[in-house]
Amino acid sequence: MTRLLALLVVCLLVAPAGAQSPPATQSTARSSIDRASNAVYPSLVRISVVVSESQSGREINVEASGSGTIISTDGYVVTNHHVAGRAKRIICTLADRQEVPADLVGTDPLSDITVLKLRPATPRKFPAARFGDSSTVRRGDQVLAMGSPRALSQSVTLGVASNTEMTMPGRSTLELDGEDVGSLVRWIGHDAAIYPGNSGGPLVNLAGEIIGVNEISLGLSGAIPGNLAKQVTDAIIREGRVRRSWPGIEVQPTVGLNVKAGALVSWVASGSPAAAAGLQAGDVLLKVNSATTDAQFAEQVPLVNQVLFGLRIGEAATFTLLRGSKEMALTVTPIERPAALSTPRELRAWGVVASNINAFEARGLGRQATDGVRVVSVRNGGPVEQARPALGRDDVIVEVEGKRIGSLADLEAVGNSSIGKKLLVTFERGRERRITIVEPSGTRVPDAPPAEARKAWVPVTVQVMTPPIAERLGLAGRMGVRVTQVYDAALPLRVGDIVLAVDGQVVRATAPTDEEVFATAIRRAAIGSTVTLRISRDGKEMDVPVTLAAAPPLAREMKRYEDEDFGFRARDLADADRRDPRLDADTTGVLVDSVTNGSWASLGRMSSGDVILAIDGRNVSNVEDLAARLKEIRAARPASVVVFVRRGVKSLFLDLQPTWQ
């Protein structure tokens, strides 16, 4: 198809109406292309960068390259975030082949735009290109894609704009630093050839103006619209970053058979301005202030997000919405939108790559607080990996030697000043609060990872009190387990209690792999009987009577349902599922076990791990509800089935569109 379009372009240039164009027409077309190319070509730069990538607890340096455009005579350069947004070193090669170092001014992963500033050895003025109005681009307009494909010298390719509101197909996304670029950007699709290395280069109209920043190639090339790129660029030059508002909602196209104007609210973040104002998933957003928010189609969602993100931070806005058949207006005061991901950094003394925690990440971890340090990856054989118990990805370090760890700087300072010392580290894993011993820059050979504790009989989770931990807790030579989480508030145990004995029998647990010792001792007693636990609490020993309950059923014991028509399997929620901090404890629904590739469920974007909450507006409490509801649907044979699911900390409406036989 691309070759055909290119052939058609050539034909249009040389043979209108099936006749040979006169030389004057060819000369005019060539002249327009030359003028446009010559206007921008001197401002093209090839960008060579060194970036850091995190792998297995280490930061490694990687060389990469892309393209950019000088947009001011004092040397500001616009390019893509994925080209230079995380660069440690930047060298720009100008059109005259001079190499000039550059500094990172600011970057915006959401729009994939980065601004650099050339740093010449002596002050000078640079040739600069100018932005045009990308809203005037029409299908069929001739465009030039300029840049440095595959790090070669600057080049120019000719094509036509084929789509002015291009979005990612189906479930595809372009994610950068946790940001979904397609949630904000509608690309200008064109057939001018671009290759790796063209990223960040300009898309130019025949007036010699920048109308886009080239970013993607999916057979058809795609450029970030110039108006959006200029808006972001101006903000970065002015403030060093882009400040956006965040009401706390996500929207999607409306679904179902009776698609209405508006944008469907698919998720409302807990504790967000929208939640405080009373917005709910399922509301249809009609207007924000005076701006219409219509998202009947995927191509319209970025425009709605541009309205939401463009509100004045801290200034009340009126959200007009439809809830059922009732129209209402709510007042929402948006806050500033934080970055999706904090920048990770290697802490060599600890043997980890770690990061601070912002509000978005805290929600993803099921936490309220943003203090602490999140483990991103662990170096094999490093101090944190050698700890018993070892820390893993998404564990959050909150204390070292009883002192609060609020940020990366705190943890780095402690590690660098404590080389060779054994430190008592407190970390959070989900809702559990665990402790371990870490020796910064230690060299011990790692043991096998600890076994998972079977949560049975007594509604708690425990960790083994290893000899080093026992010593630090003033219980040297003693054996037992430490309570890390309590599920029943009526239980006379609390986090931090050390269980030393069950009915006078010592809990002989000393190694991380001994966590089952406590559960085994409990299982010897009958359900409903009372056992006496000898515990140490705050340095004092006491006897605590505990009445034993029946162990909750395991996930493999839950009722299951398989639907061959829709192509998925589901089961009732198990007790262990409800302990996931991302899932509300009172959530009712069924957990999707698996989805068959190519099934209606798969085509509707259902995923393994989704929790089905409702189907066509009717709640689903268990697999019996699910089976009954799907039986009714098979009898009615509707063209659309709307499934409301929980995915991680968010909720989402899925539109399953079966073709009935």
Side-chain angles (χ1 to χ4, degrees):
M1 180 61 73
T2 301
R3 292 182 177 179
L4 176 59
L5 289 173
L7 179 60
L8 290 173
V9 171
V10 173
C11 292
L12 288 170
L13 286 174
V14 300
Q20 179 65 42
S21 298
T25 303
Q26 296 180 30
S27 177
T28 300
R30 177 68 198 197
S31 178
S32 297
I33 294 169
D34 285 345
R35 281 196 302 271
S37 175
N38 292 337
V40 178
Y41 191 88
S43 64
L44 285 181
V45 296
R46 181 169 73 249
I47 302 172
S48 302
V49 298
V50 175
V51 299
S52 291
E53 293 185 355
S54 302
Q55 293 183 6
S56 302
R58 301 298 302 265
E59 282 186 351
I60 60 172
N61 293 325
V62 177
E63 292 184 322
S65 65
S67 304
T69 315
I70 302 171
I71 56 172
S72 68
T73 57
D74 55 349
Y76 284 106
V77 174
V78 62
T79 185
N80 286 143
H81 167 78
H82 76 262
V83 170
R86 296 299 181 203
K88 297 171 66 174
R89 187 180 70 195
I90 308 168
I91 300 293
C92 294
T93 303
L94 309 186
D96 62 6
R97 300 181 180 82
Q98 291 187 62
E99 291 188 351
V100 179
D103 298 317
L104 177 65
V105 177
T107 192
D108 181 46
L110 186 57
S111 64
D112 197 15
I113 292 294
T114 287
V115 177
L116 312 176
K117 181 71 180 296
L118 296 173
R119 183 165 32 90
T122 57
R124 57 172 288 190
K125 288 189 175 182
F126 296 94
R130 68 181 187 275
F131 280 98
D133 184 358
S134 60
S135 69
T136 64
V137 178
R138 298 291 179 264
R139 290 188 299 272
D141 287 354
Q142 287 187 308
V143 292
L144 304 175
M146 308 178 75
S148 303
R150 304 189 187 279
L152 302 173
S153 298
Q154 286 86 332
S155 69
V156 180
T157 54
L158 173 67
V160 296
S162 54
N163 186 341
T164 59
E165 49 185 39
M166 188 171 77
T167 58
M168 283 287 182
R171 68 181 68 182
S172 301
T173 59
L174 174 59
E175 188 171 293
L176 299 174
D177 291 1
E179 300 281 19
D180 179 8
V181 178
S183 68
L184 184 73
V185 174
R186 293 197 308 181
W187 291 272
I188 298 174
H190 62 89
D191 69 347
I194 64 173
Y195 304 94
N198 269 112
S199 291
L203 185 68
V204 178
N205 61 18
L206 292 191
E209 299 168 326
I210 302 170
I211 54 169
V213 177
N214 286 312
E215 181 185 26
I216 59 175
S217 179
L218 301 172
L220 193 66
S221 304
I224 302 160
N227 289 0
L228 176 60
K230 185 178 188 303
Q231 180 185 17
V232 172
T233 298
D234 289 345
I236 291 175
I237 292 174
R238 184 174 59 251
E239 299 187 43
R241 64 191 182 103
V242 180
R243 300 183 69 217
R244 293 191 175 90
S245 63
W246 188 66
I249 64 172
E250 288 191 1
V251 299
Q252 67 174 74
T254 50
V255 297
L257 295 177
N258 300 314
V259 175
K260 304 180 181 66
L264 179 62
V265 177
S266 61
W267 178 64
V268 180
S270 61
S272 67
L279 268 77
Q280 300 175 6
D283 289 341
V284 177
L285 187 62
L286 304 176
K287 286 196 306 182
V288 174
N289 292 329
S290 60
T292 300
T293 52
D294 190 13
Q296 298 178 61
F297 311 105
E299 290 82 358
Q300 296 171 297
V301 171
L303 300 183
V304 176
N305 285 332
Q306 289 175 25
V307 171
L308 294 173
F309 297 158
L311 294 172
R312 291 184 180 275
I313 298 167
E315 185 174 303
T318 301
F319 282 45
T320 304
L321 54 91
L322 193 66
R323 181 173 295 167
S325 59
K326 182 181 178 182
E327 185 173 311
M328 60 181 67
L330 301 177
T331 300
V332 180
T333 303
I335 59 176
E336 183 170 352
R337 186 180 189 274
L341 292 177
S342 300
T343 303
R345 189 167 80 244
E346 181 182 0
L347 304 181
R348 293 189 178 182
W350 296 93
V352 296
V353 170
S355 72
N356 292 320
I357 304 170
N358 64 31
F360 277 6
E361 292 167 306
R363 284 186 178 87
L365 292 168
R367 307 178 80 238
Q368 297 296 322
T370 58
D371 60 332
V373 173
R374 178 185 190 176
V375 176
V376 176
S377 63
V378 178
R379 187 176 76 236
N380 292 335
V384 161
E385 197 269 344
Q386 291 182 27
R388 289 293 175 265
L391 282 79
R393 181 177 177 84
D394 287 340
D395 285 343
V396 178
I397 298 172
V398 293
E399 289 181 4
V400 175
E401 291 292 320
K403 294 182 180 179
R404 173 181 171 273
I405 298 297
S407 66
L408 271 174
D410 295 341
L411 187 61
E412 185 172 39
V414 171
N416 290 342
S417 63
S418 305
I419 303 299
K421 297 179 181 178
K422 291 180 171 60
L423 303 177
L424 182 65
V425 175
T426 303
F427 64 96
E428 294 179 358
R429 178 174 293 169
R431 288 195 178 98
E432 292 189 53
R433 191 176 179 91
R434 289 182 165 239
I435 57 176
T436 190
I437 306 294
V438 181
E439 182 179 334
S441 294
T443 56
R444 289 175 297 171
V445 177
D447 298 321
E452 289 290 329
R454 173 76 183 271
K455 303 172 182 65
W457 308 125
V458 176
V460 298
T461 55
V462 299
Q463 70 174 108
V464 172
M465 183 176 65
T466 62
I469 290 178
E471 182 178 358
R472 296 306 300 269
L473 296 178
L475 296 168
R478 305 293 294 277
M479 294 180 288
V481 294
R482 178 179 179 274
V483 177
T484 62
Q485 188 173 6
V486 179
Y487 302 121
D488 185 353
L491 200 68
L493 293 173
R494 62 192 191 203
V495 172
D497 286 348
I498 307 298
V499 182
L500 303 170
V502 178
D503 283 341
Q505 298 296 312
V506 174
V507 178
R508 297 186 176 280
T510 59
T513 52
D514 294 338
E515 285 186 349
E516 275 292 302
V517 170
F518 174 66
T520 300
I522 293 297
R523 283 197 292 267
R524 293 193 186 105
I527 296 173
S529 65
T530 299
V531 297
T532 299
L533 303 183
R534 183 72 175 176
I535 68 170
S536 173
R537 177 183 293 168
D538 300 328
K540 299 179 180 179
E541 293 189 20
M542 62 185 75
D543 290 327
V544 175
V546 174
T547 300
L548 303 180
L554 301 174
R556 64 174 178 265
E557 299 172 295
M558 304 309 294
K559 289 184 179 179
R560 280 174 163 75
Y561 172 79
E562 182 171 359
D563 192 284
E564 295 182 355
D565 287 337
F566 283 88
F568 72 94
R569 291 192 311 170
R571 62 169 173 80
D572 284 337
L573 289 170
D575 185 70
D577 300 321
R578 300 183 189 282
R579 296 173 192 165
D580 187 333
R582 299 170 299 175
L583 193 66
D584 297 333
D586 58 352
T587 297
T588 59
V590 297
L591 183 77
V592 177
D593 252 345
S594 63
V595 178
T596 304
N597 289 336
S599 66
W600 296 336
S602 175
L603 295 177
R605 296 189 298 129
M606 185 180 289
S607 296
S608 177
D610 286 350
V611 177
I612 298 176
L613 306 175
I615 297 178
D616 283 344
R618 292 170 55 181
N619 291 341
V620 173
S621 299
N622 49 46
V623 294
E624 292 179 354
D625 285 350
L626 177 66
R629 186 71 193 103
L630 292 178
K631 182 178 179 180
E632 294 172 358
I633 287 172
R634 276 192 292 273
R637 299 195 172 201
S640 173
V641 178
V642 177
V643 182
F644 184 43
V645 303
R646 183 68 176 262
R647 182 173 295 171
V649 297
K650 301 181 181 181
S651 55
L652 186 68
F653 291 91
L654 308 179
D655 192 5
L656 278 55
Q657 300 179 356
T659 301
W660 299 100
Q661 298 299 319

